[in-house]
Amino acid sequence: MADVLQLNTNSLQVPGEDRSASTSPSGSPSPSRNECSITPLTPSPSPRTEVRPRVARPFSVVVAIDFGTTSSGYAFSFTEDPETIHMMRRWEGGDPGVANQKSPTCLLLTPDLRFHSFGFAARDSYHDLDPEEARHWLYFDKFKMKIHSTSDLTMETELESVSGRRVPAIEVFAHALRFFREHVLKEVKDQSSSVLEGNEVRWVITVPAVWRQPAKQFMREAAYLAGLVTPDSPDQLLIALEPEAASLYCRKLHLHQVIDLSQRPIINGLDVEGSHPFDSSFRQAREQLRRARHSRTFLVESGTGELWSEMQTGDRYIVADCGGGTVDLTVHQIEQPQGTLKELYKASGGPYGAVGVDLAFEAMLCQIFGADFIESFKAKRPAAWVDLTIAFEARKRTAAPGRANSLNISLPFSFIDFYKRHRGQSVETALRKSNMNFIKWSSQGMLRLSAEAMNQLFQPTINNIIKHVENLMQKEEVKDVRFLFLVGGFAESPMLQRAAQNALGRNCRIIIPHDVGLTILKGAVLFGLDPTVVRVRRCPLTYGVGVLNRFVEGRHPRDKLLIKDGREWCTDILDRFVSVDQSVALGEVVRRSYTPARMGQRKIIINIYCSDTDDITYITDPGVRKCGAITLDLLESGAVAASAGDNDKGSAIERREIRTTMQFGDTEIKVTAVDVATGQLVRASIDFLSN
């Protein structure tokens, strides 16, 4: 075991110093530095299963928050009645013709950065502001996408409001979560006969499965800042993966609660059997759901639904969460008789959500009126721009294949007036000069988009989704799937439904739950009630740390050679914790043991590296990046005093063993540690936001 030493680029904190060793450049470290920071005593090649004791927590209620790109909501269930899921109260406001069970994800801050409102209230208040006054207020919408698209996410990452002002993203998310916390606790209190303490609530926040660890940690930190839970009670908050949550709810579905697209042959947008419009059955189901929503209470079976009873051990299915910002896919396999789930392929997806249609509409406006004008209008008339996007959203939801008549989108008067002042010509003239024959101008102040125009707006995003699902189905682990569940708000679109049926209907049965927009929210509640249902997950990345191994001439490159105490070592070798797409069961752990480098050392800091592939040997290989750090606080465990006092010659330091245990089978990576000599827990944390 003495043959493996921790890479000396791992830095430590010692009394009176910021770091005991600075990070070296990405080559071999200087041979003059003869002190390694930590020594891994027991590296293990792969995770091993550990039976984790069930810790009984006195949770009385589980609250799930579905924090979406375009819309958000909450639901809850009392643990004494887990078969009943209570949905959030209906919101004030809304768009005509749209059933709003959730609220738009938009936030309004005052000019002095105080919280003003969220959801419909924020949108309507911003609309009512004077145009000049609105430039000083901060309105945010669709801001969740920033977390997905930022490669170097930190606690200092900023969001830009519609008016151009910037604030820390963590504060925006915390404002939104705090809003939900206040609303849901009031509603839970109204329905509970007893007084609930703060530690009796288990919170669940949904995130896309394709999100990396920094984004998940960001949501957790925002929840801490919002007061949902405290950092001292991390188990009180669960991060749920959106397609996983949907999968859990789909297990409960009965046949009358779903639409099976595979049983509806479609030609030219019509149902062949009944010659009804393609989306008529879905619209009828949605209308029935809308009428039933006044109760806001949904019952789920204690067992599994009829659809699930058709499945046998080993059956595979895909859940495609088609949301506002991203499309998220997960592949699960049934494990009977216990009914648990096993992930067969690492989560995949991309920014193919309904926002892509909005961006295509904006690009079309830029083509007609000029990108410089659109940018100027957004900056000078931000509230009017929001009005225009709302008008398009309402019409976008009504787009359907086979539709013959045009869709009318109202242009705000300020848009028409601002364009005439900016360009010296009318909007109608601009349309005529653009040579876009499929877009007409109405004398009532509307853009008339033909079916061809709407199809052009939808197709790029839909094609990305279909192509991604087709590529996924070609993977060996995913072949022979029986079902494809389409969930999420974008799955309500008849345009997407028709495309999925035409392209994928011959390969598997395509199932859409009636309450497709609420599937993730309800599933997140079920996940909070039993987080152990998904028994096996796949690692999205390869994770490990850099270590020193004995240098072998001819096998290791000379630029990795480090001579320490007369011995030759190879630096920068990656000690793998887990590999990309590796199956890791819930409860499996990876153990490593480390020893402090010096007497009185207060902290051990271990840098973590990751890669999208497994074909790597050194942490300096292409594609390998530092992604986080594990911190072991020796001061609180008493290890500092023990190390300093046991032996003046320092032999106690060599024996001091800090055993670290990491879990990769949950939705978040977790770490714990213990001082082997004393048996005391060592405060251990893992940070992905401080790079």
Side-chain angles (χ1 to χ4, degrees):
M1 293 184 195
D3 288 353
V4 184
L5 295 179
Q6 183 62 37
L7 173 68
N8 70 347
T9 55
N10 288 327
S11 51
L12 310 177
Q13 282 191 347
V14 296
E17 295 181 16
D18 291 334
R19 301 276 185 178
S20 66
S22 61
T23 303
S24 69
S26 61
S28 59
S30 171
S32 64
R33 293 170 55 192
N34 58 5
E35 183 175 57
C36 291
S37 51
I38 45 183
T39 305
L41 300 177
T42 56
S44 56
S46 62
R48 58 184 182 218
T49 303
E50 178 182 82
V51 179
R52 293 185 297 173
R54 282 284 186 88
V55 180
R57 293 299 302 270
F59 299 124
S60 299
V61 62
V62 170
V63 177
I65 299 175
D66 180 10
F67 201 118
T69 299
T70 55
S71 60
S72 300
Y74 64 80
F76 60 92
S77 178
F78 295 99
T79 54
E80 62 184 15
D81 185 20
E83 296 176 14
T84 303
I85 298 177
H86 304 270
M87 303 303 297
M88 56 193 268
R89 290 193 176 108
R90 288 291 300 275
W91 297 93
E92 298 295 331
D95 302 318
V98 179
N100 294 300
Q101 186 66 38
K102 296 197 291 186
S103 171
T105 307
C106 47
L107 178 81
L108 183 62
L109 301 181
T110 64
D112 57 354
L113 304 183
R114 289 182 295 108
F115 175 82
H116 181 272
S117 50
F118 181 88
F120 291 115
R123 203 181 69 180
D124 295 344
S125 297
Y126 191 60
H127 170 273
D128 293 339
L129 289 172
D130 178 85
E132 188 60 33
E133 186 182 10
R135 296 173 61 183
H136 302 286
W137 287 63
L138 290 83
Y139 180 82
F140 302 89
D141 66 344
K142 300 181 178 67
F143 51 86
K144 181 182 173 183
M145 281 296 290
K146 175 73 172 182
I147 306 305
H148 177 77
S149 60
T150 302
S151 58
D152 55 347
L153 182 66
T154 69
M155 296 288 284
E156 287 73 42
T157 297
E158 291 185 331
L159 289 177
E160 184 175 318
S161 68
V162 171
S163 59
R165 290 183 63 185
R166 302 177 69 87
V167 296
I170 193 75
E171 294 182 9
V172 176
F173 279 81
H175 278 309
L177 291 174
R178 193 178 297 114
F179 169 84
F180 280 115
R181 175 184 177 275
E182 293 172 357
H183 273 256
V184 72
L185 289 183
K186 184 178 186 303
E187 190 167 348
V188 168
K189 180 181 178 181
D190 291 344
Q191 298 202 32
S192 176
S193 58
S194 59
V195 178
L196 289 176
E197 300 293 335
N199 60 1
E200 292 184 83
V201 181
R202 163 166 270 175
W203 297 88
V204 182
I205 298 178
T206 65
V207 302
V210 292
W211 270 18
R212 301 282 171 89
Q213 293 300 320
K216 295 176 184 178
Q217 182 185 338
F218 183 91
M219 291 300 292
R220 176 171 286 276
E221 296 293 342
Y224 291 155
L225 186 60
L228 270 65
V229 299
T230 66
D232 294 332
S233 303
D235 292 342
Q236 200 177 338
L237 170 65
L238 297 177
I239 299 297
L241 308 183
E242 289 165 357
E244 272 192 10
S247 180
L248 299 187
Y249 182 68
C250 289
R251 298 165 69 241
K252 305 288 186 179
L253 292 173
H254 289 274
L255 294 177
H256 69 275
Q257 296 174 308
V258 303
I259 295 173
D260 189 345
L261 294 185
S262 307
Q263 297 177 357
R264 293 185 164 274
I266 302 297
I267 296 179
N268 294 328
L270 296 179
D271 182 339
V272 174
E273 296 177 357
S275 296
H276 298 301
F278 171 77
D279 64 328
S280 62
S281 60
F282 188 82
R283 290 180 182 275
Q284 292 169 8
R286 192 166 56 187
E287 176 63 20
Q288 293 171 3
L289 180 66
R290 186 189 66 79
R291 293 174 180 174
R293 278 179 177 165
H294 66 275
S295 67
R296 295 184 296 106
T297 301
F298 290 81
L299 299 179
V300 294
E301 297 293 328
S302 57
T304 55
E306 296 164 328
L307 194 63
W308 214 254
S309 64
E310 297 183 25
M311 296 190 180
Q312 301 174 355
T313 299
D315 277 352
R316 307 170 180 185
Y317 65 94
I318 297 175
V319 176
D321 170 26
C322 307
T326 59
V327 169
D328 231 5
L329 291 96
T330 191
V331 186
H332 280 163
Q333 187 175 49
I334 311 297
E335 294 183 316
Q336 300 287 15
Q338 65 270 35
T340 53
L341 302 177
K342 176 181 180 181
E343 189 176 29
L344 291 181
Y345 191 77
K346 65 176 182 176
S348 62
Y352 316 136
V355 170
V357 184
D358 302 339
L359 295 176
F361 176 65
E362 182 176 338
M364 184 192 73
L365 293 179
C366 290
Q367 188 174 349
I368 297 172
F369 303 108
D372 59 330
F373 167 77
I374 295 298
E375 289 304 314
S376 177
F377 180 73
K378 289 164 67 174
K380 300 291 182 58
R381 299 289 187 270
W385 172 256
V386 171
D387 287 346
L388 177 55
T389 60
I390 292 171
F392 175 71
E393 175 68 25
R395 305 313 294 159
K396 180 179 72 175
R397 291 172 179 261
T398 65
R403 182 182 182 124
N405 55 317
S406 299
L407 290 173
N408 295 330
I409 299 173
S410 298
L411 284 181
F413 172 77
S414 59
F415 185 99
I416 300 171
D417 180 65
F418 194 77
Y419 184 78
K420 191 166 186 177
R421 295 184 182 185
H422 194 272
R423 288 284 198 255
Q425 64 181 22
S426 67
V427 166
E428 183 177 5
T429 302
L431 268 173
R432 191 166 53 248
K433 290 182 177 180
S434 70
N435 294 322
M436 288 191 173
N437 298 326
F438 45 77
I439 303 175
K440 304 296 183 183
W441 175 248
S442 166
S443 59
Q444 296 176 324
M446 296 182 180
L447 292 177
R448 292 179 56 82
L449 272 66
S450 67
E452 180 186 356
M454 291 302 293
N455 190 60
Q456 286 195 17
L457 297 180
F458 273 85
Q459 281 313 303
T461 298
I462 289 179
N463 289 343
N464 281 331
I465 296 173
I466 299 302
K467 182 178 180 180
H468 194 93
V469 176
E470 288 177 334
N471 291 340
L472 181 63
M473 286 183 169
Q474 297 302 313
K475 306 292 183 183
E476 189 63 35
E477 304 91 333
V478 189
K479 287 184 178 179
D480 302 322
V481 294
R482 287 195 60 190
F483 293 91
L484 168 63
F485 290 93
L486 293 181
V487 301
F490 196 23
E492 293 185 1
S493 168
M495 304 285 281
L496 177 57
Q497 293 174 18
R498 196 270 298 270
Q501 182 182 16
N502 288 345
L504 307 168
R506 296 180 181 85
N507 301 325
C508 59
R509 291 174 63 182
I510 302 175
I511 306 295
I512 304 178
H514 284 178
D515 51 349
V516 62
L518 302 176
T519 302
I520 294 166
L521 186 53
K522 296 176 185 178
V525 174
L526 298 177
F527 178 73
L529 292 167
D530 182 10
T532 66
V533 175
V534 182
R535 194 186 62 82
V536 178
R537 292 184 175 90
R538 294 283 185 136
C539 293
L541 297 170
T542 295
Y543 289 100
V545 297
V547 298
L548 302 176
N549 274 0
R550 283 288 184 87
F551 188 86
V552 178
E553 192 71 43
R555 190 175 77 182
H556 295 138
R558 295 294 297 179
D559 62 352
K560 300 293 184 185
L561 174 63
L562 170 68
I563 300 177
K564 173 180 167 60
D565 297 333
R567 286 176 149 182
E568 293 186 342
W569 302 95
C570 181
T571 67
D572 295 345
I573 291 180
L574 180 76
D575 172 27
R576 279 175 183 75
F577 292 158
V578 288
S579 298
V580 63
D581 205 31
Q582 175 181 338
S583 291
V584 182
L586 200 63
E588 276 189 336
V589 298
V590 175
R591 284 205 182 96
R592 297 289 189 274
S593 290
Y594 303 100
T595 184
R598 286 173 295 280
M599 290 188 297
Q601 187 171 314
R602 294 172 178 266
K603 288 185 179 181
I604 296 176
I605 300 178
I606 309 159
N607 291 330
I608 304 175
Y609 297 85
C610 67
S611 173
D612 295 306
T613 68
D614 194 42
D615 185 23
I616 50 179
T617 304
Y618 305 99
I619 63 172
T620 55
D621 285 348
V624 181
R625 60 192 181 277
K626 178 179 175 290
C627 62
I630 297 173
T631 299
L632 307 177
D633 194 330
L634 306 182
L635 187 62
E636 293 192 6
S637 71
V640 172
S643 296
D646 284 354
N647 192 317
D648 291 338
K649 295 181 180 180
S651 61
I653 299 177
E654 298 176 8
R655 296 194 305 270
R656 181 67 54 191
E657 179 182 351
I658 308 299
R659 182 178 297 162
T660 305
T661 300
M662 288 157 285
Q663 301 173 21
F664 292 86
D666 292 322
T667 58
E668 297 175 275
I669 299 175
K670 301 176 181 178
V671 60
T672 57
V674 65
D675 184 342
V676 175
T678 64
Q680 289 184 313
L681 290 176
V682 174
R683 186 179 183 88
S685 61
I686 188 166
D687 183 14
F688 294 97
L689 288 175
S690 297
N691 289 317

